[in-house]
Amino acid sequence: MRTRLALLLALFVSVPVALFAEGGPPSASAPFGETPTAHARRGAVASATPEATAVGAAVLGAGGNAVDAAVATAFALAVTYPPAGNLAGGGFAVGRTPGGELWALDFRETAPAGTWRDSFLGPDGKARRGASTRGGLAVGTPGTVRGLESLHRRYGSLPWARLIAPSVRLAREGFRVPPGLAKIFSTYAADLAKDAVASRLFLPGGEPLAAGALLVQEDLAKTLETIAAQGADGFHKGAVARRIANFVQATGGVLTEGDLASYRPEWRPPFVFDDGRFRLVTMPLPSSGGFLLASILGQLHFARGAIDDRDAPETLHLVAEAERRAYADRNRFLGDPNCVDVPLAALLAPARLAALGRSIDPARATPSSAIVGGAWPRDPDQTTHFVTATADGGAVSLTYTLNDTMGNRSVVPGVGVVLNNEMDDFAVEPGAPNGYGLVQGESNAVRAGARPLSSMTPTIVLEDGRPRLVLGSPGGGLIPTTVLQVYLNAAVRGEPIGEAVSARRFHHQHLPDRIELETGAFPEDVKDALKAKGHSLDLSGTVYTGGMLGRVHAIAFEKDGSLTAAADPRGYGAAAGK
Ligand code: GLY
């Protein structure tokens, strides 16, 4: 990885780059290997691909700020990380300017105007299988390009076209498929084969692109050139929008050119709360991430017992019990705040968090059947998170997604973009599990123009008003618990960021009623102690996670003023700095 990244940087960067550290082999407490990190004096980036990280670092090298680097990295991931990097998806970002201004941008997809509560139900009143995950009806109105433009207009400093140019090159000249991406093409080959352009691009000659093959995306290069020349209008209006709408309608959807033209990102006050000496700046609704972090951490302050020892069964028990209670609330009450009244203040009232925290029995698991709620999917390839920061205190924490890995697994002819299937994040049949076993309520029902409830949790941690950590993760419903654990490790327990990221992880989300442990990661005595407290354990990992929970990209602001960027060893991303 080091050689390849250094080579890419040599192509894009005209300034010296800081050191790159290789990730090491697995160890007892870091079952997926040591975290690749990069130390930097001026600015740093960590993302899911070495190419996108190199593009972001080059922008910093050219004098760009953290927002410039984030915009360029996002476009580069749309080319080099087709599982989740995107133009036709959506996401969230939180940030901080060097002057200390905090911001949050919501560029989540919306339900097209032609959808309604029962769009996905059959004549029997039940959700039609696959309707919200495959085909045109699964597609929400994309928000990424308009979102990146808003971000750049408000906080960027380098020219827009300059930030897109490296991605045009990567799409036109191609990049070598890494083994991790080859595996994704192979895993989803049956679905990709059903789509003419996806199969031509990713399964040429009927076989999934192998590791080392060159992936060239000429249509995507042209779309990026149009966006570079015309701004977001080049995507949301005109020929590109027409092609997207026509293709979505031809495959059973209702997205129109009008939906694309009228899409608007929303600047929102960030979700800010204090946890001891740290202030967490994270995503408000329609992401549930900020709520979940605040609820879990709030309950833990009242729980009977300590969570200092990261891997002790008592710690896992207390945290999992707080997660169980927070996720039950999430599924029952949360939705798009533009459409439903969410009783956030009541749910997070100190008295209620105290009652929930005190209801945790230190000796026994509480059955989830005693707490009303639901469950939903997780998949570390289906979303991606990246971070950029500058030593003057500028930072961007951005998570964006197509929802499932490679979205609805189709590519728009002549445009080259993979389409999202974000409509499945709604409760398509309120009160019943969706395709992934998700049980959510009316508050997240399909409503034309609404944003589906999310779990994406881009986060910045402050200490004494100064940035301490920038972090986030993919993983659907397990994003907040992944962010929680890395925050606890790096900030509260004071571990170096590399260690904090590679450490083994666990997760509870109320239903199914069990603690999920990373496969092969926890010793027998920990598992036995949890079982003795009455917990069911899921030790298998799922088909989606490959036994791993989340893929964190993070930057730590060190006490000496330097930065350390970290790329989760569970993925194949890279960290770089200068
Ligand atoms: N699509 C996953 C999420 O937004 O949580």
Side-chain angles (χ1 to χ4, degrees), residues 67 131 151 196 211 225 250 302 331 338 341 409 433 460-461 478 529 542 562:
V67 166
L151 189 52
E225 280 174 334
F302 297 100
N331 274 2
N338 292 348
D341 288 327
R409 302 193 185 131
I460 297 174
V461 178
L478 59 78
T542 71
S562 66

Side-chain angles (χ1 to χ4, degrees), residues 1-6 19-25 33-38 567 569 573 575:
M1 168 100 48
R2 180 198 301 225
T3 318
R4 190 152 168 256
L5 182 55
L19 74 103
F20 300 92
E22 284 289 349
E34 301 301 327
T35 305
T37 55

Side-chain angles (χ1 to χ4, degrees), residues 234-254:
F235 181 89
H236 284 267
K237 295 179 177 169
V240 168
R242 192 154 50 249
R243 284 193 154 119
I244 293 172
N246 287 345
F247 179 74
V248 169
Q249 288 170 25
T251 53
V254 293

Side-chain angles (χ1 to χ4, degrees), residues 64-368:
N65 62 26
V67 166
D68 295 320
V71 169
T73 303
F75 278 113
L77 285 167
V79 177
T80 59
Y81 197 62
N86 68 80
L87 301 183
F92 302 106
V94 298
R96 181 187 189 276
T97 64
E101 184 192 338
L102 301 171
W103 53 261
L105 178 65
D106 165 357
F107 54 99
R108 179 77 159 162
E109 299 93 327
T110 52
T115 54
W116 62 298
R117 185 189 178 284
D118 295 346
S119 285
F120 297 92
L121 304 184
D124 59 357
K126 304 277 176 217
R128 280 179 285 117
R129 197 174 158 73
S132 59
T133 53
R134 304 285 173 270
L137 201 56
V139 181
T141 308
T144 294
V145 180
R146 199 58 92 190
L148 294 176
E149 181 186 65
S150 293
L151 189 52
H152 178 258
R153 278 190 179 159
R154 190 170 284 198
Y155 295 114
S157 68
L158 293 184
W160 171 250
R162 156 74 183 83
L163 304 179
I164 302 175
S167 300
V168 174
R169 268 203 304 280
L170 281 165
R172 179 156 292 138
E173 292 167 18
F175 69 97
R176 297 279 162 197
V177 172
L181 184 55
K183 189 163 169 235
I184 288 168
F185 291 147
S186 160
T187 303
Y188 299 106
D191 274 349
L192 296 172
K194 292 179 192 150
D195 180 80
V197 182
S199 62
R200 179 165 55 72
L201 278 176
F202 307 128
L203 317 171
E207 290 300 320
L209 279 174
L214 191 69
L215 174 53
V216 173
Q217 301 169 87
E218 179 56 32
D219 286 343
L220 184 56
K222 285 193 199 125
T223 300
L224 285 163
E225 280 174 334
T226 307
I227 296 167
Q230 299 175 17
D233 279 355
F235 181 89
H236 284 267
K237 295 179 177 169
V240 168
R242 192 154 50 249
R243 284 193 154 119
I244 293 172
N246 287 345
F247 179 74
V248 169
Q249 288 170 25
T251 53
V254 293
L255 182 77
T256 62
E257 284 182 70
D259 290 317
L260 281 155
S262 60
Y263 180 85
R264 296 283 174 271
E266 297 212 27
W267 292 97
R268 298 184 184 277
F271 189 106
V272 180
F273 68 98
D274 290 334
D275 178 59
R277 66 182 199 277
F278 300 106
R279 173 159 289 182
L280 284 82
V281 182
T282 183
M283 202 62 215
L285 290 170
S287 175
S288 57
F291 164 82
L292 286 166
L293 287 180
S295 174
I296 295 164
L297 288 165
Q299 291 177 56
L300 287 170
H301 282 290
F302 297 100
R304 288 165 284 163
I307 57 165
D308 304 338
D309 182 350
R310 182 182 77 198
D311 293 334
E314 291 73 22
T315 300
L316 269 68
H317 171 72
L318 291 179
V319 174
E321 287 297 314
E323 290 174 356
R324 181 199 305 276
R325 287 156 174 77
Y327 277 67
D329 280 349
R330 184 266 193 208
N331 274 2
R332 183 159 176 211
F333 296 109
L334 271 50
D336 182 343
N338 292 348
C339 305
V340 289
D341 288 327
V342 179
L344 268 191
L347 294 173
L348 294 173
R352 184 161 185 282
L353 294 180
L356 285 177
R358 288 193 192 111
S359 76
I360 297 173
D361 181 341
R364 295 294 302 167
T366 309
S368 283

Side-chain angles (χ1 to χ4, degrees), residues 108 382-383 401 403 422 425 454-456 476:
R108 179 77 159 162
Q382 103 306 31
T383 296
T401 188
N403 191 29
E422 213 70 59
D425 269 354
S454 173
S455 301
M456 292 188 272

